[in-house]
Amino acid sequence: MCRFFTIWMCTSLLHLILCIVCAFGLYETAPPHIIVFMADDLGWNDVGFHGSNQIPTPNIDALGYNGIILNRHYVLPSSTPSRIAFFTGLYPIRLGMRMQGEGIRGGEPRGLPLNIKILPEYLRGLGYTTKLIGKWHMGYHTPQYTPLHRGFDTFLGFYNSHISYYDYRYSNKNMSGYDMHRGDDPAHGFNREYATDLFTDEAIRIIENHEVPRPLYLQLSHLAVHGPLEQPIDEYNDRETIQIREPNRRKYAKMVSKLDKSVGAIVHALGEKGMLRDSLILFLTDNGAPSIGRCGNYGSNYPLRGTKYTLHEGGVRGVAALWSSRLQKAARVSNELVHITDWLPTLYSAAGGDLKDLGEIDGIDQWRVLSEGYGRGREKLLLNINEVSKTEGAIYSRFKLLRGENGFYDGYYGDSGRTLETPPYTEVVLNSTVSQSITYHLGGPVTQPSTMLQLRRDGTVQCDTNLTYSDKRLLTSCNVTECLFDIVNDPCETKNVAEVYVRIAKDLDRYLEYYGHILERQMITRVDWFADPRMRNDTWEPWINSGAVIYVSNAADMLGNLIYYIHISIIFVSILLNNYI
């Protein structure tokens, strides 16, 4: 009897301890599979959960409605700086090599400094297998700068800012060549498969062949929806976008729709493999749409001001949504400030990593704030300081300070997408592949239609109805004087309130001044003609031997450039002598 009582007491006590551990989140679960979709140049108004009826994005919308729509998610104004910030958790102004400025052009001998550890390298230390598909755009002048040497186990994709969707070519100035790689080698032999489909198929193969007990980090950095405007050949896709009259906008819509189908197909594959329940899925864009001008893709940031390349909301307030069955408080719109630098510590924390491993970074861990819906996130963030274009900006709470302008990119562009008739919106979302996968594989209901509609209203930016869209083109430039905007009450940046909130403006002035002292100034790097693909079987590849030149900071740039030009001069003279002899 005493023995039975002792056993009963022990098992009851163990049960109580387990209950307490689970209740306080102290039970150590297996690290989640982390799946990142990074779209390229996607506009704020080009997904349904921000209120547009124009382009159906039911799979992306379903991720947001069943997870968290991040309504104040900030990125950098162009591709390379955003990707640098995502992978490093650092503001690009710290890194030298013009990382806060223009994206890396094909043939430029620069890249993310090799002494900076990035996200896949940290995750490898936690036992993850790491896969990258799609765009790299962080340097490739020597092999050391390419994905397999920066923490990724496998890579299928392209090195430059973009390629054509069917023949995978990139052109810069008078140089043009093939840019598709598997691992370190050119990936020839694809039969003109549309790039979005090619990358989706590769992701599905990785998931199908993955050993489930090991955590997977899979990043699909899509070419879509960066220019050139090359639509997929898909009859059903044509019917979805037939109501859009502007032909280029209609092409773009088909590209977005194909991107949305990619999200659905990969979520379905995760479910079929039994990985969905233990996955964390992040969808984001690297910057706003370039509605006009250079690399214009006819995307829409409506009603936000500005496009890609600017620090106005249309350039840096990026589409983002987070989904995981591990989120304790889901089906909501978050208005917390989130910056793209936050994903390194946030994903590392969600994976069970010790944040001390990351050292001093600018990003902060937002996992508990996002998962539980309460706690302290961030109050301030630096948008960027570009001393070459003379633009800079920062945010404190609901206020944003800007200095400088980017010309006509700072106006208002893009279709409102609010006028088209569509099928019952919630029915389309409920029938999406993502919604069906969540229902079937997780065994629970998805967010219901009434809640979806409320979340959509909460995720839609509303501006002053007394101003028409064309009227707003007449706004005062921030070139003459600095602009302070109340981006909560005036998200379309129509009124400069610097003279009303003088103290806030001065605080942000000091904040920018502080980072101005940290900034590593940009040095001019020119396209190297020795990178010409014609010298390497018509293919963009690393053209400098490993160790020939390694850039670590701007302090080394001048010496590095000198060594580099001596190096290529020797090669050039050698070629001339060989030809002469």
Side-chain angles (χ1 to χ4, degrees):
M1 182 68 179
C2 290
R3 183 180 178 186
F4 173 79
F5 180 76
T6 302
I7 293 172
W8 179 83
M9 284 292 293
C10 288
T11 55
S12 297
L13 182 60
L14 178 61
H15 183 263
L16 177 63
I17 292 171
L18 286 174
C19 288
I20 293 172
V21 166
C22 290
F24 285 92
L26 300 175
Y27 182 71
E28 187 174 346
T29 57
H33 306 295
I34 300 174
I35 316 298
V36 175
F37 295 94
M38 185 175 285
D40 198 341
D41 289 2
L42 181 66
W44 176 266
N45 196 45
D46 295 326
V47 294
F49 62 60
H50 284 319
S52 176
N53 294 326
Q54 199 170 59
I55 306 174
T57 54
N59 292 296
I60 297 169
D61 294 355
L63 282 180
Y65 292 143
N66 293 282
I68 306 171
I69 297 168
L70 302 171
N71 234 33
R72 298 186 70 197
H73 180 265
Y74 284 89
V75 295
L76 276 293
S78 62
S79 175
T80 296
S82 267
R83 291 162 204 273
I84 294 289
F86 176 84
F87 279 119
T88 67
L90 295 168
Y91 293 138
I93 62 163
R94 295 184 183 275
L95 300 175
M97 290 309 301
R98 297 177 58 205
M99 291 306 165
Q100 69 269 35
E102 293 287 332
I104 298 172
R105 297 170 295 169
E108 269 194 286
R110 65 181 176 109
L112 173 66
L114 298 177
N115 61 325
I116 303 295
K117 193 172 179 180
I118 66 173
L119 177 59
E121 296 175 282
Y122 285 113
L123 291 177
R124 264 184 175 177
L126 300 179
Y128 277 77
T129 182
T130 55
K131 314 283 186 176
L132 177 63
I133 302 170
K135 181 170 176 174
W136 175 239
H137 206 200
M138 295 201 300
Y140 65 96
H141 54 294
T142 81
Q144 300 143 298
Y145 286 82
T146 59
L148 293 196
H149 303 267
R150 304 305 298 260
F152 284 104
D153 297 322
T154 65
F155 170 62
L156 174 68
F158 55 101
Y159 291 147
N160 288 297
S161 61
H162 63 280
I163 52 175
S164 50
Y165 283 77
Y166 284 104
D167 60 10
Y168 322 133
R169 295 184 70 83
Y170 168 83
S171 300
N172 179 37
K173 294 186 179 293
N174 295 320
M175 299 189 290
S176 178
Y178 185 81
D179 186 7
M180 184 65 72
H181 300 264
R182 186 179 288 281
D184 288 331
D185 301 317
H188 294 287
F190 293 112
N191 188 25
R192 289 183 58 82
E193 185 176 4
Y194 191 69
T196 306
D197 291 331
L198 173 67
F199 296 147
T200 302
D201 292 344
E202 176 74 5
I204 291 172
R205 277 193 293 271
I206 286 172
I207 292 166
E208 289 175 342
N209 295 319
H210 182 66
E211 296 178 3
V212 176
R214 187 175 182 186
L216 169 67
Y217 178 77
L218 171 62
Q219 179 157 340
L220 207 172
S221 291
H222 268 296
L223 167 63
V225 283
H226 197 292
L229 285 175
E230 292 184 304
Q231 67 191 48
I233 302 170
D234 187 332
E235 183 179 348
Y236 175 69
N237 193 270
D238 285 345
R239 291 199 300 270
E240 286 181 327
T241 56
I242 196 71
Q243 297 183 82
I244 302 174
R245 294 184 179 181
E246 209 290 323
N248 289 308
R249 175 70 176 165
R250 188 162 61 247
K251 286 182 182 179
Y252 174 81
K254 294 171 185 176
M255 295 162 69
V256 174
S257 184
K258 179 63 78 171
L259 171 67
D260 182 75
K261 288 178 174 63
S262 171
V263 172
I266 291 167
V267 170
H268 174 75
L270 290 168
E272 291 294 296
K273 186 68 175 182
M275 296 168 61
L276 186 59
R277 183 177 299 277
D278 295 315
S279 291
L280 185 157
I281 302 174
L282 170 65
F283 180 91
L284 75 162
T285 184
D286 59 348
N287 44 252
S291 308
I292 57 166
R294 181 158 48 104
C295 296
N297 66 358
Y298 290 81
S300 173
N301 300 312
Y302 178 93
L304 302 179
R305 181 179 179 181
T307 70
K308 177 183 179 178
Y309 312 120
T310 81
L311 295 180
H312 284 293
E313 294 289 272
V316 294
R317 187 171 174 176
V319 174
L322 180 68
W323 179 90
S324 175
S325 64
R326 301 184 182 204
L327 293 172
Q328 296 182 34
K329 189 177 180 183
R332 64 190 180 89
V333 174
S334 170
N335 287 303
E336 294 288 335
L337 272 179
V338 180
H339 191 257
I340 194 168
T341 56
D342 296 340
W343 291 115
L344 170 64
T346 298
L347 297 178
Y348 192 66
S349 173
D354 186 344
L355 294 176
K356 294 177 183 176
D357 299 340
L358 306 180
E360 293 294 324
I361 58 175
D362 297 301
I364 67 170
D365 174 17
Q366 301 250 31
W367 176 244
R368 289 198 65 184
V369 174
L370 294 174
S371 175
E372 300 171 12
Y374 64 87
R376 187 174 182 180
R378 64 159 68 239
E379 292 183 335
K380 286 184 178 180
L381 61 85
L382 177 71
L383 290 170
N384 199 26
I385 302 175
N386 186 335
E387 81 284 7
V388 173
S389 65
K390 294 181 171 51
T391 55
E392 55 186 4
I395 292 175
Y396 170 59
S397 185
R398 71 178 212 252
F399 293 100
K400 178 163 112 177
L401 187 76
L402 289 186
R403 297 198 193 106
E405 291 274 338
N406 293 86
F408 72 117
Y409 290 116
D410 294 283
Y412 292 86
Y413 305 95
D415 201 303
S416 73
R418 305 292 197 268
T419 58
L420 296 179
E421 295 181 5
T422 60
Y425 175 73
T426 55
E427 181 181 322
V428 174
V429 176
L430 286 172
N431 288 327
S432 69
T433 305
V434 167
S435 291
Q436 295 294 316
S437 297
I438 291 172
T439 300
Y440 181 78
H441 294 289
L442 272 60
V446 295
T447 300
Q448 294 306 294
S450 59
T451 304
M452 286 185 192
L453 292 176
Q454 182 58 53
L455 293 176
R456 195 183 197 205
R457 286 190 289 269
D458 293 343
T460 300
V461 170
Q462 302 290 344
C463 292
D464 189 345
T465 55
N466 293 323
L467 285 172
T468 67
Y469 208 49
S470 59
D471 288 337
K472 296 176 187 176
R473 296 176 185 267
L474 305 175
L475 294 174
T476 303
S477 167
C478 300
N479 247 347
V480 178
T481 181
E482 65 184 16
C483 292
L484 184 72
F485 298 109
D486 181 346
I487 50 176
V488 170
N489 296 308
D490 177 27
C492 297
E493 299 171 298
T494 64
K495 301 171 185 174
N496 183 0
V497 295
E499 294 182 0
V500 179
Y501 297 95
V502 176
R503 184 181 61 80
I504 297 292
K506 287 183 178 179
D507 285 347
L508 282 168
D509 282 335
R510 286 191 289 269
Y511 187 70
L512 285 170
E513 184 179 358
Y514 167 77
Y515 280 107
H517 291 304
I518 291 173
L519 175 143
E520 292 278 353
R521 300 189 67 81
Q522 301 178 56
M523 294 191 70
I524 300 300
T525 54
R526 295 177 175 83
V527 171
D528 178 7
W529 297 108
F530 280 90
D532 195 323
R534 287 173 290 190
M535 301 176 69
R536 288 163 194 82
N537 194 28
D538 193 39
T539 304
W540 291 98
E541 292 190 83
W543 67 95
I544 302 174
N545 293 332
S546 296
V549 181
I550 299 177
Y551 297 101
V552 293
S553 71
N554 268 353
D557 280 349
M558 191 172 295
L559 178 60
N561 281 331
L562 177 62
I563 295 172
Y564 167 69
Y565 285 114
I566 291 173
H567 171 72
I568 64 171
S569 297
I570 292 170
I571 294 174
F572 184 66
V573 170
S574 298
I575 293 172
L576 289 177
L577 288 174
N578 287 335
N579 290 337
Y580 179 76
I581 293 170

